[in-house]
Amino acid sequence: MFAIAGVVNYLAVVFLNAFTDLGHKIIIQNTIFKVYDGTIQIILTAIVNSLMLLPFILMFSPAGFLADRFAKNIIMKYSSLLAVVITLIITYSYYQGWFFTAFAMTFLLALQSAIYGPAKYGYIKELVGVKFISAGNGAVQATTTAAILLGIIFYTALFETLLQDNFSTKEDILHIIAPLGWLLVLGSVVEFVLASKLPNKMVEESKREFRFKRYIMGAYLKKNIIMIKRKKEIFDSIIALGLFWAISQVVLAIFGEYAKSALGITNAVVVQGIMALAVIGIVFGSIVAANFSKYYINTALSAISAAGITLILFCIPFTTSVILLSIEFMLFGLFSGLFIVPLNSKIQYLSPNVHLGTILAGNNFVQTLFMFTFLIITTLFAYFSADAQILFYIMTFVGLYLSVMLFRRYFIMASWTLLEFIFKIRYRFRYIGLQNIPKDRAVMLVGNHVSWIDWFVVQLPIEKRINYMIDKDIYNWRVFNWIFKKAELIPISKKASKDSFYEASKRLKNGKIIAIFPEGEISRSSDVAKFYRGYEFIDKGGSVIVPFYIDGVFGSIFSRHKGDAKRCFLKKREIVVCFGEPISEEIKANELRDRVINCKTKLKG
């Protein structure tokens, strides 16, 4: 992916945009932290966050229109130029000691980001294509969070170094830290220069016109909401992301006051440092999410990570140790990265290019609406002097709802993903010829059988669930029978196979993927055994046969032959699967066996 022209430049632009936006917000939040306490501190922090969110609600329709109407690199270029002007005004406000002017300028910075956002995320799909969409989102999320982390550390450290104890009012603080404003300006200027060099990837320019009257009357809003609700999986993903960001905003808004009142932490570096660990976690989580979405967008990661986030939220109010809090925030970030990347990738993947900007702006709109609502609730709780711990418990219940919602949709995929986590501890998987498996028609996979985990090895890189044919005696095992039924396996026996063949034929006609091991049992040697003719009686309809050969499992603890050579326990075993070219015509068992052996020869050669 990094060999694609413009990728590195684009990630640098993404980094600088987040770094600059975060810099001003940190300066304002640290000023609030130093001057105010208790209820006022929570309220002002919530207002700052609200000012950062409100433009994403107001600019839903215009931002989506601009990202669909014009080339996305051009939008990023002029948004960066606007950021230069805004940071110059912010710097002037610092020198004048105008706290509330600087406070209000967070709104204009957010306005620039609201215009910038849909173009930035829509550009991923245009720049790297569908093939690298998960890796692209992982890289963007890791880059953004790395910018946030470095911004927190960089601006907080400089803030504390310049400030020390030489202040009595918020105006004094701004006078002292005013030189930091020039760093914001510098970041914006460099971002503009780099954005000007991004390649234009727009395939077809839209001819639509923006009518201000329709915008004011809410016609665009109504139309765009209908658009984002058109595909249920897109809308569900947007709602899930909205709930997640709402939870995150509440945690960020209340943690400063919670740390000060419950734990006695008054140093801004310590407070921001603990929260910064969440950002480190997001970087690692984004990388892991991209790795587990190597073959397809693994949305099951979002369900698993939602459960992890809920558990962390429940534990935080019971934690009094700074070290344990740091670990919890690191894990919160890790699960957050695993949550965000697949859902963002899925939204981009399922969105038609002509409406991509509008749908991504809608994603921002819904997320912001959730965050804004939750921040109002946070402010009300603070106004009535409610304990911050209560808000942590409420967020735990929201996280529980989010987990249930996602597990209901992705339960089967989540089960496979958990297995993938386990198996990847000891095994490294590599696949050859995946392009030979058609995505738009039924497929019968036929290959060698060397271990008890062949079903997992073959399924791993294929998003569509495979319906395996399994020995009826094994299928009827009391403990596992309900799992086999849930996995839609097809039981087969030597005495009564007619019904099994009929069921397999029916599923092929419905576009399913069927897998069968014609050897009839797990092999006791590395040779491909005789293929039985049973599969020949399956009516294949319009399907194709794809032969495959599994190599690397033979001799493992899951095979019948354990091998003689001793292996280092810490060294991962590499498992390779080769998929041969699809066969559309009828083929005899011995000929198909030869095709599987050819796959073996290709691997060994």
Side-chain angles (χ1 to χ4, degrees), residues 240-241 243-244 247 299-314 331-332 334-340 342-343 395-408 410 414:
L241 285 166
L243 286 170
F244 164 77
I247 292 170
T299 43
L301 292 170
S302 60
I304 296 169
S305 55
I309 289 168
T310 304
L311 181 61
I312 297 299
L313 289 170
F314 178 75
L331 290 174
F332 184 89
L334 177 69
F335 288 126
S336 298
L338 289 170
F339 185 92
I340 298 165
L343 291 181
M395 291 306 102
T396 301
F397 280 108
V398 176
L400 189 61
Y401 170 79
L402 179 61
S403 302
V404 172
M405 183 182 91
L406 290 170
F407 267 106
R408 286 180 65 182
Y410 301 120

Short mmCIF file of all heavy atoms in Angstrom, two decimals, residues 240-241 243-244 247 299-314 331-332 334-340 342-343 395-408 410 414:
data_model
loop_
_atom_site.label_atom_id
_atom_site.label_comp_id
_atom_site.label_asym_id
_atom_site.label_seq_id
_atom_site.Cartn_x
_atom_site.Cartn_y
_atom_site.Cartn_z
N ALA A 240 -23.43 2.51 15.72
CA ALA A 240 -22.44 1.91 16.63
C ALA A 240 -21.27 2.86 16.87
O ALA A 240 -20.83 3.05 18.02
CB ALA A 240 -21.94 0.58 16.06
N LEU A 241 -20.77 3.48 15.80
CA LEU A 241 -19.68 4.45 15.95
C LEU A 241 -20.13 5.67 16.75
O LEU A 241 -19.36 6.20 17.56
CB LEU A 241 -19.17 4.88 14.57
CG LEU A 241 -18.30 3.86 13.83
CD1 LEU A 241 -18.13 4.24 12.37
CD2 LEU A 241 -16.93 3.74 14.50
N LEU A 243 -22.38 5.75 19.18
CA LEU A 243 -22.41 5.37 20.59
C LEU A 243 -21.00 5.30 21.17
O LEU A 243 -20.75 5.74 22.30
CB LEU A 243 -23.12 4.03 20.76
CG LEU A 243 -24.65 4.05 20.60
CD1 LEU A 243 -25.20 2.63 20.54
CD2 LEU A 243 -25.30 4.82 21.74
N PHE A 244 -20.07 4.73 20.38
CA PHE A 244 -18.69 4.63 20.86
C PHE A 244 -18.09 6.00 21.12
O PHE A 244 -17.50 6.25 22.18
CB PHE A 244 -17.84 3.87 19.85
CG PHE A 244 -16.36 4.06 20.08
CD1 PHE A 244 -15.72 3.38 21.10
CD2 PHE A 244 -15.62 4.94 19.30
CE1 PHE A 244 -14.36 3.58 21.36
CE2 PHE A 244 -14.27 5.14 19.53
CZ PHE A 244 -13.63 4.46 20.56
N ILE A 247 -19.48 7.68 24.21
CA ILE A 247 -18.86 7.14 25.43
C ILE A 247 -17.49 7.76 25.63
O ILE A 247 -17.13 8.21 26.74
CB ILE A 247 -18.74 5.60 25.34
CG1 ILE A 247 -20.13 4.95 25.40
CG2 ILE A 247 -17.86 5.06 26.47
CD1 ILE A 247 -20.11 3.46 25.08
N THR A 299 -15.64 -7.20 10.47
CA THR A 299 -16.49 -6.40 11.35
C THR A 299 -16.74 -7.07 12.70
O THR A 299 -17.18 -6.41 13.65
CB THR A 299 -17.83 -6.12 10.67
OG1 THR A 299 -18.30 -7.30 10.03
CG2 THR A 299 -17.70 -5.02 9.62
N ALA A 300 -16.45 -8.38 12.80
CA ALA A 300 -16.63 -9.07 14.08
C ALA A 300 -15.71 -8.48 15.16
O ALA A 300 -16.01 -8.57 16.35
CB ALA A 300 -16.34 -10.55 13.91
N LEU A 301 -14.61 -7.87 14.74
CA LEU A 301 -13.69 -7.24 15.70
C LEU A 301 -14.41 -6.17 16.52
O LEU A 301 -14.10 -5.96 17.69
CB LEU A 301 -12.50 -6.62 14.96
CG LEU A 301 -11.52 -7.57 14.29
CD1 LEU A 301 -10.56 -6.79 13.40
CD2 LEU A 301 -10.74 -8.37 15.33
N SER A 302 -15.37 -5.49 15.89
CA SER A 302 -16.08 -4.42 16.59
C SER A 302 -16.93 -4.97 17.73
O SER A 302 -17.04 -4.35 18.80
CB SER A 302 -16.96 -3.63 15.61
OG SER A 302 -17.90 -4.48 14.99
N ALA A 303 -17.52 -6.16 17.53
CA ALA A 303 -18.34 -6.77 18.59
C ALA A 303 -17.46 -7.18 19.78
O ALA A 303 -17.79 -6.91 20.94
CB ALA A 303 -19.09 -7.97 18.04
N ILE A 304 -16.34 -7.83 19.48
CA ILE A 304 -15.43 -8.28 20.54
C ILE A 304 -14.87 -7.09 21.31
O ILE A 304 -14.81 -7.09 22.55
CB ILE A 304 -14.28 -9.12 19.93
CG1 ILE A 304 -14.85 -10.39 19.29
CG2 ILE A 304 -13.24 -9.48 20.98
CD1 ILE A 304 -13.85 -11.15 18.44
N SER A 305 -14.47 -6.05 20.58
CA SER A 305 -13.87 -4.89 21.23
C SER A 305 -14.90 -4.10 22.05
O SER A 305 -14.56 -3.51 23.07
CB SER A 305 -13.20 -3.98 20.19
OG SER A 305 -14.11 -3.62 19.19
N ALA A 306 -16.17 -4.08 21.61
CA ALA A 306 -17.21 -3.40 22.38
C ALA A 306 -17.35 -4.03 23.76
O ALA A 306 -17.53 -3.33 24.77
CB ALA A 306 -18.54 -3.46 21.63
N ALA A 307 -17.25 -5.36 23.82
CA ALA A 307 -17.31 -6.06 25.11
C ALA A 307 -16.11 -5.67 25.98
O ALA A 307 -16.24 -5.47 27.19
CB ALA A 307 -17.35 -7.57 24.89
N GLY A 308 -14.93 -5.56 25.35
CA GLY A 308 -13.73 -5.16 26.08
C GLY A 308 -13.84 -3.74 26.63
O GLY A 308 -13.46 -3.47 27.78
N ILE A 309 -14.36 -2.82 25.82
CA ILE A 309 -14.55 -1.43 26.24
C ILE A 309 -15.50 -1.37 27.44
O ILE A 309 -15.27 -0.63 28.41
CB ILE A 309 -15.09 -0.59 25.07
CG1 ILE A 309 -14.00 -0.39 24.02
CG2 ILE A 309 -15.61 0.76 25.56
CD1 ILE A 309 -14.49 0.18 22.70
N THR A 310 -16.58 -2.14 27.39
CA THR A 310 -17.56 -2.17 28.48
C THR A 310 -16.91 -2.63 29.79
O THR A 310 -17.15 -2.06 30.86
CB THR A 310 -18.73 -3.10 28.11
OG1 THR A 310 -19.30 -2.66 26.88
CG2 THR A 310 -19.78 -3.10 29.20
N LEU A 311 -16.10 -3.66 29.71
CA LEU A 311 -15.41 -4.18 30.90
C LEU A 311 -14.48 -3.13 31.50
O LEU A 311 -14.45 -2.95 32.73
CB LEU A 311 -14.63 -5.44 30.52
CG LEU A 311 -13.86 -6.13 31.66
CD1 LEU A 311 -14.83 -6.59 32.75
CD2 LEU A 311 -13.06 -7.31 31.13
N ILE A 312 -13.75 -2.41 30.66
CA ILE A 312 -12.84 -1.37 31.14
C ILE A 312 -13.61 -0.25 31.83
O ILE A 312 -13.22 0.24 32.90
CB ILE A 312 -12.00 -0.80 29.98
CG1 ILE A 312 -11.10 -1.89 29.36
CG2 ILE A 312 -11.15 0.38 30.45
CD1 ILE A 312 -10.10 -2.47 30.30
N LEU A 313 -14.72 0.17 31.22
CA LEU A 313 -15.54 1.24 31.82
C LEU A 313 -16.05 0.84 33.20
O LEU A 313 -16.13 1.68 34.11
CB LEU A 313 -16.73 1.54 30.90
CG LEU A 313 -16.43 2.26 29.58
CD1 LEU A 313 -17.67 2.27 28.69
CD2 LEU A 313 -15.95 3.68 29.85
N PHE A 314 -16.38 -0.43 33.36
CA PHE A 314 -16.86 -0.92 34.66
C PHE A 314 -15.74 -0.91 35.70
O PHE A 314 -15.99 -0.62 36.88
CB PHE A 314 -17.41 -2.34 34.49
CG PHE A 314 -17.89 -2.96 35.77
CD1 PHE A 314 -19.09 -2.58 36.34
CD2 PHE A 314 -17.12 -3.92 36.41
CE1 PHE A 314 -19.52 -3.14 37.52
CE2 PHE A 314 -17.54 -4.50 37.60
CZ PHE A 314 -18.75 -4.11 38.16
N LEU A 331 -5.67 -0.33 27.43
CA LEU A 331 -6.57 -1.36 26.89
C LEU A 331 -7.80 -0.73 26.26
O LEU A 331 -8.30 -1.21 25.23
CB LEU A 331 -6.98 -2.33 28.01
CG LEU A 331 -5.87 -3.26 28.53
CD1 LEU A 331 -6.37 -4.05 29.74
CD2 LEU A 331 -5.41 -4.21 27.43
N PHE A 332 -8.31 0.34 26.87
CA PHE A 332 -9.45 1.06 26.29
C PHE A 332 -9.11 1.52 24.87
O PHE A 332 -9.92 1.39 23.94
CB PHE A 332 -9.81 2.26 27.17
CG PHE A 332 -11.03 3.00 26.72
CD1 PHE A 332 -12.29 2.64 27.16
CD2 PHE A 332 -10.93 4.08 25.84
CE1 PHE A 332 -13.43 3.32 26.75
CE2 PHE A 332 -12.05 4.77 25.42
CZ PHE A 332 -13.30 4.39 25.88
N LEU A 334 -6.73 0.21 22.91
CA LEU A 334 -6.53 -0.97 22.05
C LEU A 334 -7.87 -1.45 21.50
O LEU A 334 -8.02 -1.69 20.29
CB LEU A 334 -5.86 -2.08 22.86
CG LEU A 334 -5.63 -3.41 22.13
CD1 LEU A 334 -4.59 -3.26 21.04
CD2 LEU A 334 -5.22 -4.50 23.11
N PHE A 335 -8.85 -1.59 22.39
CA PHE A 335 -10.18 -2.03 21.94
C PHE A 335 -10.83 -0.99 21.03
O PHE A 335 -11.57 -1.34 20.10
CB PHE A 335 -11.08 -2.30 23.16
CG PHE A 335 -10.72 -3.53 23.93
CD1 PHE A 335 -10.47 -3.48 25.29
CD2 PHE A 335 -10.61 -4.77 23.28
CE1 PHE A 335 -10.14 -4.63 26.01
CE2 PHE A 335 -10.29 -5.92 23.99
CZ PHE A 335 -10.04 -5.85 25.35
N SER A 336 -10.54 0.28 21.27
CA SER A 336 -11.10 1.35 20.44
C SER A 336 -10.60 1.24 19.00
O SER A 336 -11.37 1.39 18.05
CB SER A 336 -10.75 2.73 21.01
OG SER A 336 -11.30 2.89 22.30
N GLY A 337 -9.30 0.99 18.84
CA GLY A 337 -8.73 0.81 17.50
C GLY A 337 -9.36 -0.37 16.78
O GLY A 337 -9.69 -0.29 15.58
N LEU A 338 -9.54 -1.48 17.51
CA LEU A 338 -10.18 -2.66 16.93
C LEU A 338 -11.63 -2.39 16.56
O LEU A 338 -12.18 -3.01 15.64
CB LEU A 338 -10.12 -3.83 17.93
CG LEU A 338 -8.76 -4.46 18.19
CD1 LEU A 338 -8.84 -5.41 19.37
CD2 LEU A 338 -8.28 -5.21 16.96
N PHE A 339 -12.24 -1.45 17.28
CA PHE A 339 -13.65 -1.11 17.05
C PHE A 339 -13.82 -0.21 15.82
O PHE A 339 -14.68 -0.44 14.97
CB PHE A 339 -14.21 -0.42 18.30
CG PHE A 339 -15.68 -0.13 18.23
CD1 PHE A 339 -16.60 -1.04 18.72
CD2 PHE A 339 -16.15 1.06 17.69
CE1 PHE A 339 -17.96 -0.77 18.67
CE2 PHE A 339 -17.50 1.34 17.63
CZ PHE A 339 -18.41 0.42 18.13
N ILE A 340 -13.00 0.82 15.74
CA ILE A 340 -13.19 1.89 14.75
C ILE A 340 -12.88 1.44 13.33
O ILE A 340 -13.67 1.68 12.40
CB ILE A 340 -12.32 3.11 15.11
CG1 ILE A 340 -12.71 3.67 16.46
CG2 ILE A 340 -12.41 4.17 14.04
CD1 ILE A 340 -11.68 4.63 17.04
N PRO A 342 -12.65 -1.47 11.43
CA PRO A 342 -13.53 -2.26 10.56
C PRO A 342 -14.85 -1.58 10.24
O PRO A 342 -15.37 -1.72 9.12
CB PRO A 342 -13.76 -3.56 11.36
CG PRO A 342 -13.37 -3.27 12.75
CD PRO A 342 -12.35 -2.18 12.69
N LEU A 343 -15.43 -0.84 11.19
CA LEU A 343 -16.71 -0.18 10.93
C LEU A 343 -16.56 0.96 9.92
O LEU A 343 -17.38 1.12 9.02
CB LEU A 343 -17.33 0.33 12.23
CG LEU A 343 -17.82 -0.76 13.20
CD1 LEU A 343 -18.44 -0.13 14.44
CD2 LEU A 343 -18.84 -1.68 12.53
N MET A 395 -22.11 4.94 31.46
CA MET A 395 -21.40 4.61 30.20
C MET A 395 -21.19 3.10 30.09
O MET A 395 -21.15 2.55 28.97
CB MET A 395 -20.05 5.34 30.16
CG MET A 395 -20.17 6.85 29.99
SD MET A 395 -21.17 7.35 28.55
CE MET A 395 -22.72 7.81 29.35
N THR A 396 -21.06 2.42 31.22
CA THR A 396 -20.93 0.96 31.21
C THR A 396 -22.20 0.33 30.64
O THR A 396 -22.13 -0.61 29.83
CB THR A 396 -20.66 0.42 32.62
OG1 THR A 396 -19.45 0.99 33.13
CG2 THR A 396 -20.52 -1.10 32.60
N PHE A 397 -23.36 0.84 31.04
CA PHE A 397 -24.63 0.31 30.52
C PHE A 397 -24.77 0.60 29.02
O PHE A 397 -25.27 -0.23 28.27
CB PHE A 397 -25.81 0.90 31.30
CG PHE A 397 -26.06 0.23 32.62
CD1 PHE A 397 -25.76 0.86 33.81
CD2 PHE A 397 -26.59 -1.06 32.65
CE1 PHE A 397 -25.98 0.23 35.03
CE2 PHE A 397 -26.82 -1.70 33.87
CZ PHE A 397 -26.52 -1.06 35.05
N VAL A 398 -24.32 1.79 28.60
CA VAL A 398 -24.35 2.11 27.17
C VAL A 398 -23.44 1.15 26.40
O VAL A 398 -23.80 0.66 25.32
CB VAL A 398 -23.92 3.57 26.92
CG1 VAL A 398 -23.86 3.87 25.41
CG2 VAL A 398 -24.88 4.54 27.60
N GLY A 399 -22.26 0.88 26.96
CA GLY A 399 -21.34 -0.06 26.34
C GLY A 399 -21.92 -1.46 26.26
O GLY A 399 -21.71 -2.18 25.27
N LEU A 400 -22.67 -1.85 27.30
CA LEU A 400 -23.32 -3.16 27.30
C LEU A 400 -24.36 -3.25 26.17
O LEU A 400 -24.44 -4.26 25.46
CB LEU A 400 -23.98 -3.40 28.66
CG LEU A 400 -24.54 -4.80 28.92
CD1 LEU A 400 -23.44 -5.85 28.86
CD2 LEU A 400 -25.24 -4.85 30.28
N TYR A 401 -25.13 -2.19 26.01
CA TYR A 401 -26.12 -2.15 24.92
C TYR A 401 -25.42 -2.25 23.57
O TYR A 401 -25.86 -2.99 22.67
CB TYR A 401 -26.93 -0.86 24.99
CG TYR A 401 -27.80 -0.63 23.78
CD1 TYR A 401 -29.01 -1.31 23.63
CD2 TYR A 401 -27.40 0.25 22.77
CE1 TYR A 401 -29.81 -1.12 22.51
CE2 TYR A 401 -28.19 0.44 21.64
CZ TYR A 401 -29.39 -0.25 21.52
OH TYR A 401 -30.16 -0.07 20.39
N LEU A 402 -24.32 -1.51 23.41
CA LEU A 402 -23.56 -1.54 22.16
C LEU A 402 -23.03 -2.94 21.88
O LEU A 402 -23.08 -3.42 20.73
CB LEU A 402 -22.39 -0.54 22.26
CG LEU A 402 -21.45 -0.43 21.06
CD1 LEU A 402 -22.19 0.00 19.81
CD2 LEU A 402 -20.33 0.56 21.38
N SER A 403 -22.54 -3.62 22.90
CA SER A 403 -22.00 -4.98 22.74
C SER A 403 -23.09 -5.95 22.28
O SER A 403 -22.87 -6.74 21.35
CB SER A 403 -21.40 -5.47 24.06
OG SER A 403 -20.38 -4.62 24.51
N VAL A 404 -24.25 -5.87 22.92
CA VAL A 404 -25.37 -6.76 22.55
C VAL A 404 -25.80 -6.51 21.11
O VAL A 404 -26.04 -7.44 20.33
CB VAL A 404 -26.55 -6.56 23.52
CG1 VAL A 404 -27.78 -7.32 23.03
CG2 VAL A 404 -26.18 -7.02 24.93
N MET A 405 -25.88 -5.23 20.74
CA MET A 405 -26.29 -4.86 19.38
C MET A 405 -25.37 -5.46 18.33
O MET A 405 -25.82 -6.00 17.31
CB MET A 405 -26.31 -3.33 19.26
CG MET A 405 -26.79 -2.81 17.92
SD MET A 405 -26.73 -1.00 17.83
CE MET A 405 -25.08 -0.77 17.16
N LEU A 406 -24.06 -5.39 18.58
CA LEU A 406 -23.09 -5.87 17.60
C LEU A 406 -22.98 -7.39 17.60
O LEU A 406 -22.80 -8.01 16.54
CB LEU A 406 -21.72 -5.23 17.87
CG LEU A 406 -21.64 -3.74 17.56
CD1 LEU A 406 -20.34 -3.13 18.06
CD2 LEU A 406 -21.78 -3.49 16.05
N PHE A 407 -23.08 -8.01 18.78
CA PHE A 407 -23.00 -9.47 18.83
C PHE A 407 -24.21 -10.11 18.15
O PHE A 407 -24.11 -11.20 17.58
CB PHE A 407 -22.87 -9.96 20.27
CG PHE A 407 -21.45 -10.15 20.72
CD1 PHE A 407 -20.85 -9.25 21.58
CD2 PHE A 407 -20.70 -11.23 20.25
CE1 PHE A 407 -19.53 -9.41 21.98
CE2 PHE A 407 -19.39 -11.40 20.65
CZ PHE A 407 -18.80 -10.50 21.51
N ARG A 408 -25.35 -9.46 18.22
CA ARG A 408 -26.53 -9.99 17.53
C ARG A 408 -26.31 -10.03 16.02
O ARG A 408 -26.78 -10.94 15.34
CB ARG A 408 -27.76 -9.13 17.85
CG ARG A 408 -28.29 -9.32 19.27
CD ARG A 408 -29.49 -8.45 19.55
NE ARG A 408 -30.62 -8.82 18.71
CZ ARG A 408 -31.78 -8.19 18.73
NH1 ARG A 408 -31.95 -7.14 19.54
NH2 ARG A 408 -32.77 -8.58 17.96
N TYR A 410 -23.08 -9.92 14.49
CA TYR A 410 -21.82 -10.54 14.07
C TYR A 410 -21.41 -11.72 14.95
O TYR A 410 -20.23 -12.02 15.08
CB TYR A 410 -20.69 -9.49 14.10
CG TYR A 410 -20.94 -8.32 13.20
CD1 TYR A 410 -21.01 -7.02 13.71
CD2 TYR A 410 -21.11 -8.48 11.82
CE1 TYR A 410 -21.22 -5.92 12.88
CE2 TYR A 410 -21.33 -7.40 10.98
CZ TYR A 410 -21.39 -6.12 11.52
OH TYR A 410 -21.60 -5.04 10.69
N ALA A 414 -17.80 -13.31 14.99
CA ALA A 414 -17.03 -13.08 16.22
C ALA A 414 -16.45 -14.38 16.75
O ALA A 414 -15.31 -14.42 17.25
CB ALA A 414 -17.91 -12.42 17.28
#
